[in-house]
mmCIF file of all heavy atoms in Angstrom:
data_model
loop_
_atom_site.group_PDB
_atom_site.id
_atom_site.type_symbol
_atom_site.label_atom_id
_atom_site.label_comp_id
_atom_site.label_asym_id
_atom_site.label_seq_id
_atom_site.Cartn_x
_atom_site.Cartn_y
_atom_site.Cartn_z
ATOM 1 N N VAL A 321 -9.938 10.902 -48.619
ATOM 2 C CA VAL A 321 -10.516 9.869 -49.483
ATOM 3 C C VAL A 321 -11.752 10.404 -50.208
ATOM 4 O O VAL A 321 -11.959 10.110 -51.399
ATOM 5 C CB VAL A 321 -10.795 8.581 -48.663
ATOM 6 C CG1 VAL A 321 -12.057 8.668 -47.851
ATOM 7 C CG2 VAL A 321 -10.809 7.360 -49.548
ATOM 8 N N ARG A 322 -12.525 11.242 -49.520
ATOM 9 C CA ARG A 322 -13.755 11.738 -50.135
ATOM 10 C C ARG A 322 -13.515 12.916 -51.084
ATOM 11 O O ARG A 322 -14.228 13.085 -52.067
ATOM 12 C CB ARG A 322 -14.770 12.125 -49.048
ATOM 13 C CG ARG A 322 -15.359 10.888 -48.369
ATOM 14 C CD ARG A 322 -16.003 11.185 -47.033
ATOM 15 N NE ARG A 322 -16.497 9.964 -46.391
ATOM 16 C CZ ARG A 322 -15.731 9.109 -45.693
ATOM 17 N NH1 ARG A 322 -14.438 9.327 -45.564
ATOM 18 N NH2 ARG A 322 -16.257 8.013 -45.169
ATOM 19 N N LYS A 323 -12.520 13.736 -50.753
ATOM 20 C CA LYS A 323 -12.287 14.948 -51.559
ATOM 21 C C LYS A 323 -11.298 14.724 -52.702
ATOM 22 O O LYS A 323 -11.322 15.429 -53.692
ATOM 23 C CB LYS A 323 -11.722 16.075 -50.661
ATOM 24 C CG LYS A 323 -12.722 16.625 -49.675
ATOM 25 C CD LYS A 323 -13.681 17.550 -50.390
ATOM 26 C CE LYS A 323 -14.633 18.209 -49.416
ATOM 27 N NZ LYS A 323 -15.632 19.040 -50.093
ATOM 28 N N VAL A 324 -10.392 13.756 -52.546
ATOM 29 C CA VAL A 324 -9.323 13.595 -53.550
ATOM 30 C C VAL A 324 -9.319 12.196 -54.167
ATOM 31 O O VAL A 324 -9.387 12.048 -55.397
ATOM 32 C CB VAL A 324 -7.930 13.885 -52.907
ATOM 33 C CG1 VAL A 324 -6.803 13.643 -53.911
ATOM 34 C CG2 VAL A 324 -7.874 15.306 -52.360
ATOM 35 N N ILE A 325 -9.246 11.157 -53.329
ATOM 36 C CA ILE A 325 -8.970 9.816 -53.865
ATOM 37 C C ILE A 325 -10.165 9.255 -54.640
ATOM 38 O O ILE A 325 -10.020 8.863 -55.809
ATOM 39 C CB ILE A 325 -8.535 8.859 -52.719
ATOM 40 C CG1 ILE A 325 -7.223 9.372 -52.096
ATOM 41 C CG2 ILE A 325 -8.366 7.430 -53.240
ATOM 42 C CD1 ILE A 325 -6.739 8.574 -50.899
ATOM 43 N N ILE A 326 -11.330 9.221 -54.021
ATOM 44 C CA ILE A 326 -12.496 8.646 -54.714
ATOM 45 C C ILE A 326 -12.844 9.450 -55.975
ATOM 46 O O ILE A 326 -13.051 8.843 -57.044
ATOM 47 C CB ILE A 326 -13.705 8.483 -53.761
ATOM 48 C CG1 ILE A 326 -13.389 7.387 -52.734
ATOM 49 C CG2 ILE A 326 -14.992 8.160 -54.528
ATOM 50 C CD1 ILE A 326 -14.439 7.195 -51.644
ATOM 51 N N PRO A 327 -12.861 10.786 -55.924
ATOM 52 C CA PRO A 327 -13.150 11.520 -57.166
ATOM 53 C C PRO A 327 -12.149 11.200 -58.284
ATOM 54 O O PRO A 327 -12.543 11.048 -59.454
ATOM 55 C CB PRO A 327 -13.056 12.992 -56.738
ATOM 56 C CG PRO A 327 -13.388 12.981 -55.281
ATOM 57 C CD PRO A 327 -12.810 11.690 -54.752
ATOM 58 N N ALA A 328 -10.865 11.096 -57.956
ATOM 59 C CA ALA A 328 -9.865 10.801 -59.004
ATOM 60 C C ALA A 328 -10.093 9.413 -59.581
ATOM 61 O O ALA A 328 -10.178 9.239 -60.812
ATOM 62 C CB ALA A 328 -8.452 10.905 -58.425
ATOM 63 N N LEU A 329 -10.237 8.414 -58.712
ATOM 64 C CA LEU A 329 -10.421 7.032 -59.192
ATOM 65 C C LEU A 329 -11.686 6.924 -60.045
ATOM 66 O O LEU A 329 -11.692 6.259 -61.079
ATOM 67 C CB LEU A 329 -10.501 6.057 -58.007
ATOM 68 C CG LEU A 329 -9.227 5.916 -57.150
ATOM 69 C CD1 LEU A 329 -9.503 5.050 -55.927
ATOM 70 C CD2 LEU A 329 -8.071 5.329 -57.968
ATOM 71 N N SER A 330 -12.747 7.609 -59.624
ATOM 72 C CA SER A 330 -14.016 7.546 -60.364
ATOM 73 C C SER A 330 -13.893 8.174 -61.745
ATOM 74 O O SER A 330 -14.643 7.843 -62.660
ATOM 75 C CB SER A 330 -15.128 8.291 -59.610
ATOM 76 O OG SER A 330 -15.180 7.846 -58.302
ATOM 77 N N SER A 331 -12.932 9.112 -61.892
ATOM 78 C CA SER A 331 -12.727 9.732 -63.210
ATOM 79 C C SER A 331 -11.708 8.968 -64.048
ATOM 80 O O SER A 331 -11.255 9.466 -65.075
ATOM 81 C CB SER A 331 -12.211 11.168 -63.060
ATOM 82 O OG SER A 331 -12.924 11.853 -62.107
ATOM 83 N N GLY A 332 -11.299 7.808 -63.574
ATOM 84 C CA GLY A 332 -10.356 6.997 -64.360
ATOM 85 C C GLY A 332 -8.900 7.393 -64.160
ATOM 86 O O GLY A 332 -8.024 6.980 -64.920
ATOM 87 N N ILE A 333 -8.644 8.205 -63.134
ATOM 88 C CA ILE A 333 -7.269 8.668 -62.894
ATOM 89 C C ILE A 333 -6.624 7.794 -61.820
ATOM 90 O O ILE A 333 -7.230 7.516 -60.775
ATOM 91 C CB ILE A 333 -7.285 10.149 -62.444
ATOM 92 C CG1 ILE A 333 -7.876 11.013 -63.564
ATOM 93 C CG2 ILE A 333 -5.893 10.628 -62.044
ATOM 94 C CD1 ILE A 333 -8.203 12.430 -63.146
ATOM 95 N N ASN A 334 -5.387 7.354 -62.077
ATOM 96 C CA ASN A 334 -4.676 6.552 -61.074
ATOM 97 C C ASN A 334 -4.279 7.431 -59.887
ATOM 98 O O ASN A 334 -4.001 8.613 -60.050
ATOM 99 C CB ASN A 334 -3.402 5.953 -61.667
ATOM 100 C CG ASN A 334 -3.701 4.928 -62.734
ATOM 101 O OD1 ASN A 334 -4.820 4.418 -62.837
ATOM 102 N ND2 ASN A 334 -2.707 4.617 -63.545
ATOM 103 N N VAL A 335 -4.241 6.818 -58.716
ATOM 104 C CA VAL A 335 -3.828 7.542 -57.512
ATOM 105 C C VAL A 335 -2.625 6.829 -56.895
ATOM 106 O O VAL A 335 -2.655 5.613 -56.695
ATOM 107 C CB VAL A 335 -4.976 7.602 -56.476
ATOM 108 C CG1 VAL A 335 -4.483 8.205 -55.151
ATOM 109 C CG2 VAL A 335 -6.149 8.407 -57.019
ATOM 110 N N ILE A 336 -1.568 7.593 -56.629
ATOM 111 C CA ILE A 336 -0.423 7.072 -55.867
ATOM 112 C C ILE A 336 -0.431 7.795 -54.526
ATOM 113 O O ILE A 336 -0.326 9.026 -54.485
ATOM 114 C CB ILE A 336 0.922 7.360 -56.562
ATOM 115 C CG1 ILE A 336 0.939 6.835 -57.995
ATOM 116 C CG2 ILE A 336 2.072 6.763 -55.757
ATOM 117 C CD1 ILE A 336 2.221 7.198 -58.760
ATOM 118 N N CYS A 337 -0.552 7.039 -53.452
ATOM 119 C CA CYS A 337 -0.654 7.664 -52.143
ATOM 120 C C CYS A 337 0.523 7.253 -51.240
ATOM 121 O O CYS A 337 0.790 6.066 -51.069
ATOM 122 C CB CYS A 337 -1.986 7.277 -51.499
ATOM 123 S SG CYS A 337 -2.362 8.284 -50.079
ATOM 124 N N ASP A 338 1.197 8.265 -50.698
ATOM 125 C CA ASP A 338 2.314 8.054 -49.776
ATOM 126 C C ASP A 338 1.717 7.837 -48.386
ATOM 127 O O ASP A 338 1.331 8.805 -47.735
ATOM 128 C CB ASP A 338 3.206 9.309 -49.818
ATOM 129 C CG ASP A 338 4.518 9.112 -49.083
ATOM 130 O OD1 ASP A 338 4.608 8.192 -48.251
ATOM 131 O OD2 ASP A 338 5.447 9.905 -49.330
ATOM 132 N N ARG A 339 1.602 6.605 -47.987
ATOM 133 C CA ARG A 339 0.969 6.138 -46.736
ATOM 134 C C ARG A 339 -0.561 6.209 -46.830
ATOM 135 O O ARG A 339 -1.126 7.114 -47.430
ATOM 136 C CB ARG A 339 1.432 6.925 -45.506
ATOM 137 C CG ARG A 339 2.906 6.766 -45.186
ATOM 138 C CD ARG A 339 3.220 7.232 -43.767
ATOM 139 N NE ARG A 339 4.637 7.134 -43.457
ATOM 140 C CZ ARG A 339 5.251 6.015 -43.102
ATOM 141 N NH1 ARG A 339 4.573 4.899 -43.009
ATOM 142 N NH2 ARG A 339 6.549 5.995 -42.840
ATOM 143 N N TYR A 340 -1.191 5.210 -46.184
ATOM 144 C CA TYR A 340 -2.663 5.161 -46.133
ATOM 145 C C TYR A 340 -3.051 4.371 -44.886
ATOM 146 O O TYR A 340 -2.317 4.403 -43.883
ATOM 147 C CB TYR A 340 -3.165 4.529 -47.452
ATOM 148 C CG TYR A 340 -4.649 4.687 -47.718
ATOM 149 C CD1 TYR A 340 -5.229 5.942 -47.841
ATOM 150 C CD2 TYR A 340 -5.471 3.563 -47.859
ATOM 151 C CE1 TYR A 340 -6.588 6.078 -48.099
ATOM 152 C CE2 TYR A 340 -6.828 3.690 -48.126
ATOM 153 C CZ TYR A 340 -7.381 4.950 -48.248
ATOM 154 O OH TYR A 340 -8.732 5.087 -48.512
ATOM 155 N N SER A 341 -4.124 3.626 -44.934
ATOM 156 C CA SER A 341 -4.671 3.016 -43.709
ATOM 157 C C SER A 341 -3.722 1.992 -43.065
ATOM 158 O O SER A 341 -3.772 1.797 -41.839
ATOM 159 C CB SER A 341 -6.005 2.353 -44.020
ATOM 160 O OG SER A 341 -5.874 1.462 -45.096
ATOM 161 N N ASP A 342 -2.863 1.338 -43.840
ATOM 162 C CA ASP A 342 -1.923 0.373 -43.237
ATOM 163 C C ASP A 342 -0.979 1.063 -42.252
ATOM 164 O O ASP A 342 -0.525 0.441 -41.293
ATOM 165 C CB ASP A 342 -1.095 -0.336 -44.320
ATOM 166 C CG ASP A 342 -1.966 -1.163 -45.251
ATOM 167 O OD1 ASP A 342 -2.933 -1.792 -44.761
ATOM 168 O OD2 ASP A 342 -1.693 -1.169 -46.458
ATOM 169 N N SER A 343 -0.681 2.349 -42.501
ATOM 170 C CA SER A 343 0.185 3.069 -41.559
ATOM 171 C C SER A 343 -0.495 3.201 -40.203
ATOM 172 O O SER A 343 0.172 3.108 -39.167
ATOM 173 C CB SER A 343 0.540 4.469 -42.089
ATOM 174 O OG SER A 343 1.622 4.402 -42.976
#
Side-chain angles (χ1 to χ4, degrees):
V321 79
R322 287 162 183 81
K323 290 283 184 184
V324 177
I325 297 176
I326 291 175
L329 295 173
S330 309
S331 315
I333 298 168
N334 293 343
V335 173
I336 305 175
C337 193
D338 190 341
R339 296 196 182 280
Y340 194 61
S341 53
D342 297 321
S343 277

